[in-house]
Amino acid sequence: MSSKEKERQMATLGSEEDALQGQAEIWRFMFSFADSMALKSAVELRIADIIHSHGGATTLSQIASCIDGGSGTSSPDITTLARIMRFLVRRKIFTVRHPSDGGDPVYDLTHSSRWLLHGSEQTLAPMILMENHPLLMAPWHCFSQCVKEGGIAFKKAHGREIWDLASENPEFNRLFNDGMACTAKIVTGAILSGYKEGLRSIGSLVDVGGGTGSLISEIVKAYPHIKGFNFDLQHVVSAAPPYDGVCHIGGDMFEAIPNTDAVIMKWILHDWGDEDCIKILRNCRKAIPRGKGKVIIVDIVVKPDGDGAFDDTRFAFDLVMIAHCRGGKERTEVEWKRILEQGGFCRYKIINIPALTSIIEAYPDD
């Protein structure tokens, strides 16, 4: 065989291997929803909680015996359970060990499945149930329609926006609030552990869009010298519980923000388009002292070439914003820089914290 024939043969083999690999990847992407659906079923069945309650090393029959059949008479389908567990073991959500004596396989938790525990302070279980609820999945089917026509995916799916649906549907509202609360706890913990120096120098702090005040209360608890202000719409703060060292103030961030040494906004600006963010930032600029003061933005920074633990999820979160929000988006550093400058903050630095989000510390121009 001549050298040219060998080259052609190698090129053909390479082309076939590439095509096969490409096909395999498309099959994998096509069924990637199976990951989230299997994860959701594990949370609904409380499998991680059952294994945890047994101290680990739990057999399939032990897991099944602790699952509520729902009807009160039927028993769980252990064959279906086994197939779901096999998949989740494949995904390294759980581990399985086959005893040498031929006994039943035993399942245990991993560092991943510990985030599925319902009773834990640090859990993602409510967020999994929220994001995979049919009401929140439906807008994803409207993406191509949004590309062709514009508009809001959630409204196309349900005829109204997410906040309107939450106000009309108490069950959905509870699901949504539980999902937000669990992620708030995780991010709050990351702020307190990863931003200590940034908080020590603050005299007063306004949490803009602070909801019922959970973030500012935890900050003031850790730093009692800070005068804390929880700022949100009047109907929101009117339902907020009292916290030591925290004052609740009702108002509209698009109108004015209370005067303070520093402003913090956690997962607020990603809900809004650029023009709205610039309005909010300009009001923040008016609220803090000239020549000093700062705005602390706790939000995602998308890294186009990032390969860190959270980088893929940051890209996915940007699509979540398409699905659920009006104009919301996750931003790259270049995009953050643009709106910060137009909002009156030409200087900033990005601080990494142990979370999906980062901290963008922005300083006024003068």
Side-chain angles (χ1 to χ4, degrees):
M1 183 183 295
S2 69
S3 59
K4 286 187 178 180
E5 289 174 330
K6 287 182 180 178
E7 287 175 9
R8 279 197 296 270
Q9 187 180 55
M10 293 298 292
T12 301
L13 289 173
S15 177
E16 290 173 352
E17 289 175 2
D18 290 344
L20 192 61
Q21 180 62 32
Q23 181 192 157
E25 288 175 358
I26 294 301
W27 279 109
R28 179 166 57 87
F29 294 144
M30 189 191 309
F31 288 105
S32 60
F33 69 88
D35 292 357
S36 56
M37 292 298 102
L39 200 60
K40 180 189 179 187
S41 70
V43 172
E44 290 175 328
L45 296 170
R46 294 180 174 260
I47 292 172
D49 298 270
I50 293 168
I51 295 173
H52 182 66
S53 69
H54 281 78
T58 312
T59 66
L60 206 60
S61 59
Q62 288 173 322
I63 295 171
S65 69
C66 295
I67 293 173
D68 181 5
S71 66
T73 56
S74 63
S75 58
D77 184 336
I78 199 165
T79 302
T80 300
L81 176 62
R83 291 161 68 184
I84 293 171
M85 289 300 289
R86 179 175 65 179
F87 182 87
L88 291 171
V89 167
R90 171 80 179 180
R91 289 292 184 264
K92 297 181 171 56
I93 303 298
F94 299 103
T95 64
V96 64
R97 178 172 56 83
H98 298 272
S100 57
D101 62 3
D104 291 339
V106 291
Y107 297 87
D108 209 340
L109 302 179
T110 65
H111 64 278
S112 298
S113 47
R114 293 185 185 280
W115 287 92
L116 308 183
L117 296 169
H118 285 77
S120 174
E121 274 296 303
Q122 299 280 289
T123 179
L124 282 167
M127 188 68 166
I128 292 166
L129 296 178
M130 183 195 94
E131 288 293 348
N132 292 289
H133 190 279
L135 287 173
L136 285 180
M137 293 299 294
W140 292 81
H141 294 279
C142 300
F143 276 19
S144 58
Q145 193 179 350
C146 288
V147 171
K148 294 175 182 178
E149 306 167 355
I152 304 163
F154 198 92
K155 193 170 184 178
K156 287 181 183 295
H158 299 297
R160 52 206 183 280
E161 294 190 42
I162 191 168
W163 316 116
D164 298 322
L165 182 61
S167 67
E168 299 166 6
N169 186 325
E171 181 185 349
F172 175 73
N173 188 53
R174 178 193 57 76
L175 185 79
F176 185 85
N177 289 337
D178 287 349
M180 293 297 98
C182 84
T183 55
K185 286 182 181 179
I186 294 168
V187 176
T188 297
I191 294 168
L192 293 175
S193 67
Y195 189 58
K196 294 176 182 178
E197 291 302 318
L199 293 169
R200 286 192 180 116
S201 60
I202 294 172
S204 61
L205 179 65
V206 172
D207 184 1
V208 172
T212 56
S214 59
L215 171 61
I216 193 68
S217 68
E218 290 298 319
I219 290 174
V220 169
K221 189 188 300 181
Y223 299 89
H225 70 278
I226 295 177
K227 295 179 181 178
F229 299 91
N230 178 50
F231 181 70
D232 211 315
L233 296 172
Q234 184 59 50
H235 76 272
V236 176
V237 298
S238 64
Y243 296 106
D244 291 339
V246 175
C247 177
H248 297 294
I249 301 176
D252 186 340
M253 64 187 175
F254 288 103
E255 298 296 330
I257 291 167
N259 291 335
T260 179
D261 291 340
V263 166
I264 188 167
M265 292 183 285
K266 176 179 67 65
W267 259 339
I268 299 298
L269 296 183
H270 80 156
D271 286 332
W272 301 94
D274 289 354
E275 292 306 312
D276 285 327
C277 286
I278 291 165
K279 289 178 188 176
I280 297 166
L281 287 166
R282 286 176 178 168
N283 285 336
C284 291
R285 176 65 191 86
K286 294 173 185 175
I288 61 177
R290 288 187 175 277
K292 54 183 179 178
K294 60 186 175 182
V295 170
I296 305 158
I297 300 166
V298 185
D299 237 316
I300 284 174
V301 179
V302 175
K303 300 175 183 177
D305 300 318
D307 59 359
F310 290 108
D311 281 311
D312 273 357
T313 306
R314 290 173 181 136
F315 279 95
F317 241 90
D318 188 43
L319 298 189
V320 171
M321 305 313 293
I322 296 174
H324 300 160
C325 296
R326 174 197 286 271
K329 61 181 178 180
E330 306 300 350
R331 295 174 169 88
T332 64
E333 182 176 351
V334 170
E335 291 169 320
W336 279 115
K337 183 175 185 290
R338 186 183 306 124
I339 64 170
L340 286 169
E341 287 176 347
Q342 294 182 53
F345 297 88
C346 285
R347 297 182 299 120
Y348 70 92
K349 66 179 177 182
I350 296 175
I351 301 166
N352 293 323
I353 58 174
L356 179 65
T357 54
S358 299
I359 287 176
I360 305 168
E361 196 178 65
Y363 321 102
D365 299 346
D366 50 15

